[in-house]
Amino acid sequence: MLRIRPAIANDAALLLAMIRELAEFERVPEKVKIGVEDLVRDGFGPNPRFHALIAEWNDQSAGYAVFYDYYSTYAGPAMYLEDVFVREAFRGRGIGTALMATIAKAAVDENRPGIHWHVLDWNEKAIGMYKALGAEFCDWWRPVLLSGDALARLAEKAHE
Amino acid sequence: MLRIRPAIANDAALLLAMIRELAEFERVPEKVKIGVEDLVRDGFGPNPRFHALIAEWNDQSAGYAVFYDYYSTYAGPAMYLEDVFVREAFRGRGIGTALMATIAKAAVDENRPGIHWHVLDWNEKAIGMYKALGAEFCDWWRPVLLSGDALARLAEKAHE
């Protein structure tokens, strides 16, 4: 039996365990720098930076999703889906779709025109699922990241 | 003389005018649905959804940037640059870089490890500028959007 519920502060360690599993799946385990305390502070304090859902299958933790506000200067507030993940042993049961449906309902209830996210180009199973949902692949947009030394160098050029 | 300052509520009409110019530049003028009141409410109320900067050249409005919080479950809080735009008559003076440097300084001051954004794949001038800054193009990520009827259909699948 599937149950989807909002995560609470006590779920932070579980959330981190599943974030690590996602990073293994994405082949970047070394990129996880976050700790349980960070997740507690950032997700479950007075001004949460993200919302999290936990999926349970027969009372076992089966997956999670993390999402937060996105803002389009063309269309106003929308949603950004940072992660949707189903643990290996629980795949093929529609849990990913159920997590996304819960977020879609929240988006519709809050009048948000859309949910934005990213998918890895080699993750064909996810791409097929998103296509089946009627999602649009915006391949004319290239994601860019400025970090590390390049970020510090640019910051030094700021006036005042 | 270049000056970069935080936008205030009184700048909302100016901001919208420049958002429309950006949409023209991006060849999607019909996508601008937002109004001045939306920008005032969303950007300048008690819990702003975005931050905006205005660039002035000899006291003329020359460009703007809009950015807000991004959250990585691997690395914690980062920044998302929604728009950076320089009006046509003011290009080639380093105003775009100056806007980005101001945001980079804010990111460094707040200990954010990076700034994320998207560039249109045909915007070679911007791509060249971002490469010169040392930005990383994360082309293994495909941006996805679920909206309209597809979003409504998925929302109907949500439990309870």
Side-chain angles (χ1 to χ4, degrees), chain A residues 118 140-147 150, chain B residues 70 78-82 84 100 114-121 123 126-143:
Chain A
H118 290 81
W140 51 90
W141 285 113
R142 299 180 67 184
V144 193
L145 170 63
L146 188 73
S147 62
Chain B
Y70 178 99
M79 274 184 185
Y80 186 75
L81 176 60
E82 168 71 9
V84 56
M100 295 189 65
I115 305 173
H116 299 255
W117 71 95
H118 291 82
V119 64
L120 281 164
D121 56 7
N123 192 352
I127 290 168
M129 173 191 153
Y130 300 151
K131 280 190 179 155
L133 294 178
E136 182 182 9
F137 288 76
C138 308
D139 290 322
W140 51 92
W141 285 113
R142 298 180 68 184

Side-chain angles (χ1 to χ4, degrees), chain A residues 26 33 42 49 68-69 71 73-74 83 115 117-119 121 136 138-140 142-146, chain B residues 26 33 42 49 68-69 71 73-74 83 115 117-119 121 136 138-140 142-146:
Chain A
E26 292 188 340
K33 313 283 186 202
D42 296 341
R49 292 182 182 278
Y68 46 83
D69 289 346
Y71 197 85
T73 45
Y74 293 168
D83 293 342
I115 306 174
W117 71 94
H118 290 81
V119 64
D121 57 6
E136 183 183 8
C138 309
D139 290 322
W140 51 90
R142 299 180 67 184
V144 193
L145 170 63
L146 188 73
Chain B
E26 293 188 341
K33 313 283 186 200
D42 296 341
R49 292 182 182 280
Y68 47 83
D69 287 347
Y71 196 83
T73 46
Y74 293 167
D83 294 342
I115 305 173
W117 71 95
H118 291 82
V119 64
D121 56 7
E136 182 182 9
C138 308
D139 290 322
W140 51 92
R142 298 180 68 184
V144 192
L145 170 63
L146 188 73

Side-chain angles (χ1 to χ4, degrees), chain B residues 14-157:
Chain B
L14 167 66
L15 214 46
L16 181 58
M18 292 196 285
I19 288 168
R20 285 190 201 283
E21 289 171 42
L22 172 60
E24 289 283 348
F25 174 80
E26 293 188 341
R27 306 169 192 169
V28 287
E30 74 285 357
K31 288 212 173 174
V32 181
K33 313 283 186 200
I34 212 159
V36 169
E37 324 70 44
D38 302 308
L39 290 171
V40 169
R41 182 194 59 231
D42 296 341
F44 307 98
N47 238 327
R49 292 182 182 280
F50 63 82
H51 305 282
L53 298 173
I54 305 281
E56 291 171 338
W57 185 272
N58 293 337
D59 293 326
Q60 294 174 73
S61 310
Y64 79 100
V66 164
F67 60 105
Y68 47 83
D69 287 347
Y70 178 99
Y71 196 83
S72 160
T73 46
Y74 293 167
M79 274 184 185
Y80 186 75
L81 176 60
E82 168 71 9
D83 294 342
V84 56
F85 177 72
V86 178
R87 296 183 125 166
E88 201 168 357
F90 296 91
R91 292 185 194 149
R93 302 178 198 189
I95 298 176
T97 303
L99 281 164
M100 295 189 65
T102 305
I103 297 169
K105 187 174 183 305
V108 167
D109 287 349
E110 294 178 35
N111 253 317
R112 312 286 179 103
I115 305 173
H116 299 255
W117 71 95
H118 291 82
V119 64
L120 281 164
D121 56 7
W122 51 259
N123 192 352
E124 287 172 27
K125 217 173 132 187
I127 290 168
M129 173 191 153
Y130 300 151
K131 280 190 179 155
L133 294 178
E136 182 182 9
F137 288 76
C138 308
D139 290 322
W140 51 92
W141 285 113
R142 298 180 68 184
V144 192
L145 170 63
L146 188 73
S147 62
D149 291 345
L151 178 68
R153 273 198 307 275
L154 181 59
E156 279 167 22
K157 290 188 193 166

